[in-house]
Amino acid sequence: MNWDDARFFLALARCGTLRKAASQLLVDQATVGRRITALEEALGSKLFIRTPKRFSLSSLGEALLPEVITMENAMQSVRRKASNGDDSMSGHVSIATTDSMAEFFVIPALKKLRVQYPDINVTLLTSINISDISYRSADIAIRGARPEEETLIIKRLATIEMGLYATEEYIHKKGLPVKGTQLQGHDLLMHPKELVPRHWDNFCGEHLTHPNVVLQSNSQMLLRSAACQSLGIGLLSSFIADKDPKLVRIFPENRDWVDIWLVLHPDLQRSAKVRAVITALEYEFSNNSPI
Protein backbone atom coordinates (compact mmCIF):
# COMPACT_ATOMS: atom_id res chain seq x y z
CA MET A 1 0.00 0.00 0.00
CA ASN A 2 1.52 3.32 -1.07
CA TRP A 3 0.67 6.67 0.51
CA ASP A 4 -1.74 7.66 -2.28
CA ASP A 5 -3.74 4.49 -1.59
CA ALA A 6 -3.44 4.99 2.16
CA ARG A 7 -4.98 8.45 2.18
CA PHE A 8 -8.13 7.13 0.45
CA PHE A 9 -8.32 4.29 2.95
CA LEU A 10 -7.90 6.67 5.91
CA ALA A 11 -10.47 9.16 4.64
CA LEU A 12 -13.14 6.49 4.25
CA ALA A 13 -12.24 4.86 7.57
CA ARG A 14 -12.62 8.21 9.36
CA CYS A 15 -15.65 9.53 7.48
CA GLY A 16 -17.66 6.34 7.03
CA THR A 17 -19.31 7.39 3.76
CA LEU A 18 -18.12 7.94 0.22
CA ARG A 19 -19.66 11.42 0.14
CA LYS A 20 -17.84 12.66 3.25
CA ALA A 21 -14.57 11.01 2.23
CA ALA A 22 -14.81 12.56 -1.24
CA SER A 23 -15.42 15.99 0.30
CA GLN A 24 -12.35 15.62 2.52
CA LEU A 25 -10.18 14.44 -0.38
CA LEU A 26 -11.56 17.04 -2.82
CA VAL A 27 -12.54 14.38 -5.37
CA ASP A 28 -15.87 12.85 -6.45
CA GLN A 29 -17.53 9.86 -4.78
CA ALA A 30 -16.95 7.57 -7.77
CA THR A 31 -13.20 8.16 -7.52
CA VAL A 32 -13.17 7.14 -3.86
CA GLY A 33 -15.20 4.02 -4.63
CA ARG A 34 -12.90 3.03 -7.49
CA ARG A 35 -9.72 3.55 -5.48
CA ILE A 36 -10.99 1.51 -2.53
CA THR A 37 -12.15 -1.32 -4.82
CA ALA A 38 -8.78 -1.36 -6.60
CA LEU A 39 -6.93 -1.41 -3.28
CA GLU A 40 -9.04 -4.30 -2.00
CA GLU A 41 -8.43 -6.23 -5.21
CA ALA A 42 -4.68 -5.61 -4.93
CA LEU A 43 -4.67 -6.86 -1.34
CA GLY A 44 -6.98 -9.77 -2.14
CA SER A 45 -9.25 -9.03 0.80
CA LYS A 46 -12.00 -6.63 1.88
CA LEU A 47 -11.03 -3.59 3.91
CA PHE A 48 -14.60 -2.40 4.52
CA ILE A 49 -17.98 -3.89 5.30
CA ARG A 50 -20.51 -2.05 3.15
CA THR A 51 -24.00 -1.28 4.47
CA PRO A 52 -26.65 1.07 3.01
CA LYS A 53 -25.69 3.77 5.53
CA ARG A 54 -21.93 3.56 5.94
CA PHE A 55 -18.62 1.80 5.36
CA SER A 56 -17.27 0.02 8.45
CA LEU A 57 -13.79 -1.43 8.74
CA SER A 58 -13.42 -5.17 8.26
CA SER A 59 -11.13 -7.15 10.57
CA LEU A 60 -8.28 -6.61 8.10
CA GLY A 61 -9.09 -2.90 7.87
CA GLU A 62 -9.00 -2.59 11.67
CA ALA A 63 -5.67 -4.44 11.78
CA LEU A 64 -4.16 -2.16 9.12
CA LEU A 65 -5.50 1.14 10.50
CA PRO A 66 -2.74 1.75 13.12
CA GLU A 67 -0.07 1.00 10.54
CA VAL A 68 -1.60 3.35 8.00
CA ILE A 69 -1.89 6.10 10.64
CA THR A 70 1.84 5.61 11.30
CA MET A 71 2.42 6.02 7.56
CA GLU A 72 0.32 9.22 7.61
CA ASN A 73 2.27 10.62 10.56
CA ALA A 74 5.55 9.94 8.75
CA MET A 75 4.35 11.67 5.59
CA GLN A 76 3.08 14.67 7.54
CA SER A 77 6.37 14.88 9.43
CA VAL A 78 8.32 14.88 6.15
CA ARG A 79 6.08 17.64 4.76
CA ARG A 80 6.30 19.76 7.90
CA LYS A 81 10.07 19.43 8.15
CA ALA A 82 10.43 20.31 4.49
CA SER A 83 8.43 23.48 5.17
CA ASN A 84 10.28 24.34 8.37
CA GLY A 85 12.52 27.32 7.77
CA ASP A 86 11.12 27.81 4.27
CA ASP A 87 11.30 31.53 3.46
CA SER A 88 9.16 31.26 0.34
CA MET A 89 5.97 33.31 0.25
CA SER A 90 4.32 30.88 -2.13
CA GLY A 91 2.81 27.44 -1.82
CA HIS A 92 0.07 25.67 0.07
CA VAL A 93 -1.24 26.10 3.64
CA SER A 94 -4.22 24.19 5.08
CA ILE A 95 -6.56 25.46 7.80
CA ALA A 96 -9.12 23.48 9.81
CA THR A 97 -11.87 25.37 11.62
CA THR A 98 -15.64 25.61 12.10
CA ASP A 99 -18.03 26.85 9.44
CA SER A 100 -18.89 30.00 11.37
CA MET A 101 -15.25 30.91 12.06
CA ALA A 102 -14.45 30.27 8.42
CA GLU A 103 -17.18 32.57 7.10
CA PHE A 104 -16.79 35.47 9.50
CA PHE A 105 -13.04 35.52 10.26
CA VAL A 106 -10.94 33.21 8.08
CA ILE A 107 -12.33 34.17 4.66
CA PRO A 108 -11.94 37.94 5.35
CA ALA A 109 -8.38 37.27 6.55
CA LEU A 110 -7.58 35.34 3.38
CA LYS A 111 -8.96 38.16 1.25
CA LYS A 112 -6.42 40.54 2.80
CA LEU A 113 -3.68 37.91 2.61
CA ARG A 114 -4.10 37.51 -1.15
CA VAL A 115 -3.49 41.21 -1.72
CA GLN A 116 -0.09 40.95 -0.06
CA TYR A 117 0.86 37.36 -0.94
CA PRO A 118 -1.05 36.22 -4.05
CA ASP A 119 1.09 33.08 -4.46
CA ILE A 120 -0.02 31.53 -1.16
CA ASN A 121 -2.96 29.18 -1.71
CA VAL A 122 -5.11 27.73 1.06
CA THR A 123 -7.22 24.64 1.68
CA LEU A 124 -9.99 25.39 4.20
CA LEU A 125 -11.53 22.39 5.98
CA THR A 126 -14.54 22.93 8.23
CA SER A 127 -15.90 20.86 11.09
CA ILE A 128 -17.04 21.40 14.66
CA ASN A 129 -14.96 18.51 15.95
CA ILE A 130 -11.60 19.25 17.55
CA SER A 131 -8.83 17.96 15.27
CA ASP A 132 -5.51 16.87 16.64
CA ILE A 133 -3.46 18.40 13.88
CA SER A 134 -0.37 16.31 14.59
CA TYR A 135 -2.37 13.42 13.10
CA ARG A 136 -4.38 15.34 10.53
CA SER A 137 -3.64 17.09 7.27
CA ALA A 138 -4.24 20.66 8.50
CA ASP A 139 -1.28 22.94 9.14
CA ILE A 140 -3.30 25.35 11.30
CA ALA A 141 -6.41 24.64 13.38
CA ILE A 142 -8.79 27.25 14.83
CA ARG A 143 -11.07 25.77 17.49
CA GLY A 144 -13.45 26.69 20.29
CA ALA A 145 -11.78 24.30 22.75
CA ARG A 146 -8.15 24.08 23.83
CA PRO A 147 -6.43 20.85 22.71
CA GLU A 148 -4.73 18.89 25.47
CA GLU A 149 -1.65 17.77 23.53
CA GLU A 150 1.32 19.61 25.00
CA THR A 151 3.56 19.20 21.93
CA LEU A 152 1.44 21.61 19.87
CA ILE A 153 1.84 25.39 19.79
CA ILE A 154 -1.40 26.83 21.16
CA LYS A 155 -2.41 30.49 21.30
CA ARG A 156 -5.69 32.19 22.25
CA LEU A 157 -6.91 34.23 19.29
CA ALA A 158 -10.01 35.77 20.83
CA THR A 159 -12.89 35.33 23.26
CA ILE A 160 -16.28 35.18 21.57
CA GLU A 161 -19.54 36.27 23.18
CA MET A 162 -22.61 34.07 22.74
CA GLY A 163 -26.26 34.75 23.61
CA LEU A 164 -29.80 33.46 23.20
CA TYR A 165 -31.67 34.48 20.04
CA ALA A 166 -35.07 33.92 18.43
CA THR A 167 -37.34 35.72 15.95
CA GLU A 168 -40.26 38.05 16.62
CA GLU A 169 -42.47 35.41 15.00
CA TYR A 170 -41.34 32.79 17.50
CA ILE A 171 -41.79 35.20 20.45
CA HIS A 172 -45.29 36.11 19.21
CA LYS A 173 -46.17 32.41 19.04
CA LYS A 174 -44.53 31.20 22.25
CA GLY A 175 -44.16 34.36 24.31
CA LEU A 176 -41.02 35.70 25.94
CA PRO A 177 -39.36 33.19 28.26
CA VAL A 178 -39.19 34.00 31.96
CA LYS A 179 -35.79 34.02 33.62
CA GLY A 180 -35.17 31.20 36.05
CA THR A 181 -37.88 28.90 34.64
CA GLN A 182 -35.37 26.67 32.79
CA LEU A 183 -36.91 27.80 29.48
CA GLN A 184 -39.82 25.44 30.08
CA GLY A 185 -42.46 25.59 27.36
CA HIS A 186 -39.92 26.76 24.80
CA ASP A 187 -38.31 25.04 21.84
CA LEU A 188 -34.52 24.92 21.92
CA LEU A 189 -31.95 24.61 19.14
CA MET A 190 -28.71 23.07 20.41
CA HIS A 191 -25.48 21.34 19.56
CA PRO A 192 -25.57 17.59 20.31
CA LYS A 193 -24.86 16.84 23.96
CA GLU A 194 -21.79 14.75 23.20
CA LEU A 195 -20.20 17.73 21.43
CA VAL A 196 -21.00 20.55 23.89
CA PRO A 197 -22.28 18.90 27.11
CA ARG A 198 -22.10 22.06 29.22
CA HIS A 199 -24.87 23.75 27.22
CA TRP A 200 -27.27 20.97 28.21
CA ASP A 201 -26.80 21.92 31.86
CA ASN A 202 -26.42 25.67 31.54
CA PHE A 203 -27.89 27.28 28.42
CA CYS A 204 -26.40 30.77 28.60
CA GLY A 205 -27.29 31.26 32.28
CA GLU A 206 -30.49 29.22 32.25
CA HIS A 207 -30.14 25.90 34.06
CA LEU A 208 -31.87 23.05 32.23
CA THR A 209 -33.32 19.81 33.56
CA HIS A 210 -35.68 18.53 30.87
CA PRO A 211 -35.04 20.78 27.84
CA ASN A 212 -37.40 20.58 24.87
CA VAL A 213 -34.72 20.31 22.19
CA VAL A 214 -36.48 20.34 18.83
CA LEU A 215 -33.31 20.43 16.69
CA GLN A 216 -29.71 19.36 17.23
CA SER A 217 -26.93 20.23 14.79
CA ASN A 218 -23.15 20.28 14.85
CA SER A 219 -23.20 23.43 12.69
CA GLN A 220 -23.79 26.85 14.23
CA MET A 221 -24.67 28.20 10.80
CA LEU A 222 -27.52 25.69 10.54
CA LEU A 223 -28.67 26.53 14.08
CA ARG A 224 -28.76 30.19 13.06
CA SER A 225 -30.78 29.28 9.97
CA ALA A 226 -33.21 27.29 12.12
CA ALA A 227 -33.57 30.21 14.54
CA CYS A 228 -34.26 32.54 11.59
CA GLN A 229 -37.01 30.14 10.47
CA SER A 230 -38.62 30.53 13.94
CA LEU A 231 -38.01 26.92 14.93
CA GLY A 232 -36.86 27.88 18.41
CA ILE A 233 -34.33 29.63 20.63
CA GLY A 234 -30.68 29.18 19.71
CA LEU A 235 -27.43 29.91 21.54
CA LEU A 236 -25.49 31.76 18.87
CA SER A 237 -22.30 33.76 18.56
CA SER A 238 -23.15 37.42 18.91
CA PHE A 239 -20.87 38.43 16.04
CA ILE A 240 -23.19 36.39 13.81
CA ALA A 241 -26.63 36.91 15.35
CA ASP A 242 -26.38 40.64 16.12
CA LYS A 243 -25.98 41.35 12.40
CA ASP A 244 -29.10 39.40 11.46
CA PRO A 245 -32.22 41.63 11.36
CA LYS A 246 -34.50 38.61 11.82
CA LEU A 247 -33.11 37.74 15.24
CA VAL A 248 -33.91 39.25 18.64
CA ARG A 249 -31.67 38.85 21.69
CA ILE A 250 -33.33 37.14 24.64
CA PHE A 251 -31.99 37.97 28.13
CA PRO A 252 -29.31 40.38 26.77
CA GLU A 253 -27.61 40.42 30.17
CA ASN A 254 -26.97 36.66 29.89
CA ARG A 255 -23.70 35.92 28.14
CA ASP A 256 -21.70 32.81 27.38
CA TRP A 257 -18.02 33.19 26.56
CA VAL A 258 -15.94 30.89 24.37
CA ASP A 259 -12.17 31.11 23.92
CA ILE A 260 -10.95 30.63 20.36
CA TRP A 261 -7.60 28.89 20.00
CA LEU A 262 -5.07 28.78 17.18
CA VAL A 263 -3.19 25.47 17.06
CA LEU A 264 0.03 24.88 15.13
CA HIS A 265 2.48 22.01 14.88
CA PRO A 266 5.92 23.18 16.09
CA ASP A 267 7.59 21.90 12.90
CA LEU A 268 5.80 24.68 10.97
CA GLN A 269 6.52 27.69 13.17
CA ARG A 270 9.43 28.89 11.01
CA SER A 271 7.67 28.50 7.67
CA ALA A 272 7.30 31.99 6.21
CA LYS A 273 4.03 31.32 4.39
CA VAL A 274 2.48 29.74 7.51
CA ARG A 275 3.58 32.74 9.59
CA ALA A 276 2.02 35.06 7.01
CA VAL A 277 -1.32 33.22 7.24
CA ILE A 278 -1.21 33.31 11.05
CA THR A 279 -0.50 37.05 11.05
CA ALA A 280 -3.52 37.65 8.81
CA LEU A 281 -5.72 35.50 11.06
CA GLU A 282 -4.51 37.23 14.23
CA TYR A 283 -5.25 40.64 12.74
CA GLU A 284 -8.77 39.65 11.70
CA PHE A 285 -9.66 38.14 15.07
CA SER A 286 -8.13 40.97 17.10
CA ASN A 287 -9.99 43.64 15.12
CA ASN A 288 -13.37 41.93 14.79
CA SER A 289 -14.04 40.14 18.10
CA PRO A 290 -15.27 41.61 21.40
CA ILE A 291 -12.15 40.78 23.45
Side-chain angles (χ1 to χ4, degrees):
M1 185 186 295
N2 59 42
W3 169 239
D4 201 40
D5 292 330
R7 66 191 187 95
F8 279 83
F9 168 77
L10 278 177
L12 188 55
R14 286 168 173 160
C15 297
T17 68
L18 292 175
R19 180 180 62 80
K20 291 181 180 179
S23 176
Q24 183 182 100
L25 294 165
L26 303 178
V27 299
D28 56 58
Q29 296 183 44
T31 299
V32 179
R34 286 195 302 269
R35 293 297 295 270
I36 294 299
T37 299
L39 178 57
E40 289 178 331
E41 289 176 352
L43 293 173
S45 186
K46 293 293 184 183
L47 294 171
F48 294 92
I49 300 170
R50 294 155 172 81
T51 66
K53 290 188 176 180
R54 64 179 291 111
F55 282 65
S56 301
L57 286 171
S58 67
S59 56
L60 175 61
E62 291 177 349
L64 289 179
L65 183 60
E67 306 296 333
V68 179
I69 290 175
T70 298
M71 184 188 298
E72 179 190 40
N73 293 340
M75 290 299 299
Q76 293 299 329
S77 178
V78 168
R79 185 176 63 82
R80 287 193 300 265
K81 288 175 181 177
S83 296
N84 191 21
D86 178 9
D87 292 329
S88 172
M89 284 300 186
S90 63
H92 178 260
V93 177
S94 57
I95 304 171
T97 188
T98 63
D99 52 1
S100 56
M101 294 295 164
E103 180 171 341
F104 286 87
F105 293 101
V106 180
I107 295 296
L110 296 181
K111 179 181 178 180
K112 296 180 179 69
L113 180 75
R114 281 201 57 77
V115 174
Q116 190 172 6
Y117 304 111
D119 294 327
I120 296 177
N121 58 78
V122 175
T123 295
L124 185 55
L125 307 171
T126 61
S127 169
I128 195 174
N129 298 318
I130 297 172
S131 294
D132 181 350
I133 63 169
S134 61
Y135 298 102
R136 302 287 182 173
S137 58
D139 299 318
I140 301 166
I142 303 168
R143 292 292 183 225
R146 194 182 193 281
E148 296 180 358
E149 187 173 342
E150 296 300 327
T151 60
L152 299 172
I153 296 173
I154 302 169
K155 179 179 181 179
R156 187 174 67 85
L157 278 177
T159 299
I160 299 299
E161 177 187 348
M162 300 186 73
L164 299 177
Y165 293 86
T167 62
E168 291 282 6
E169 178 185 346
Y170 172 85
I171 294 171
H172 179 75
K173 178 175 64 177
K174 290 281 192 173
L176 275 171
V178 178
K179 291 194 70 171
T181 60
Q182 302 181 349
L183 295 171
Q184 291 181 1
H186 285 275
D187 302 331
L188 305 184
L189 314 170
M190 300 179 69
H191 289 303
K193 190 172 185 178
E194 62 270 19
L195 294 181
V196 194
R198 68 186 183 90
H199 288 168
W200 288 68
D201 296 320
N202 188 322
F203 200 52
C204 197
E206 290 297 305
H207 295 281
L208 305 179
T209 52
H210 301 289
N212 180 34
V213 182
V214 300
L215 176 67
Q216 299 179 47
S217 175
N218 66 349
S219 166
Q220 184 173 181
M221 302 304 286
L222 290 179
L223 292 176
R224 179 190 67 163
S225 179
C228 288
Q229 294 293 324
S230 303
L231 287 182
I233 299 173
L235 177 56
L236 305 174
S237 296
S238 298
F239 69 84
I240 298 175
D242 284 347
K243 297 176 182 178
D244 197 315
K246 296 180 181 178
L247 295 174
V248 176
R249 182 111 182 220
I250 296 171
F251 306 151
E253 65 280 10
N254 285 20
R255 299 178 180 182
D256 190 272
W257 299 97
V258 177
D259 288 328
I260 305 301
W261 303 92
L262 183 143
V263 187
L264 175 72
H265 197 284
D267 285 346
L268 293 173
Q269 62 183 322
R270 290 191 294 170
S271 170
K273 59 180 177 288
V274 172
R275 292 201 309 269
V277 173
I278 291 174
T279 298
L281 292 169
E282 288 175 332
Y283 178 85
E284 196 65 32
F285 274 92
S286 65
N287 284 276
N288 293 285
S289 56
I291 294 180

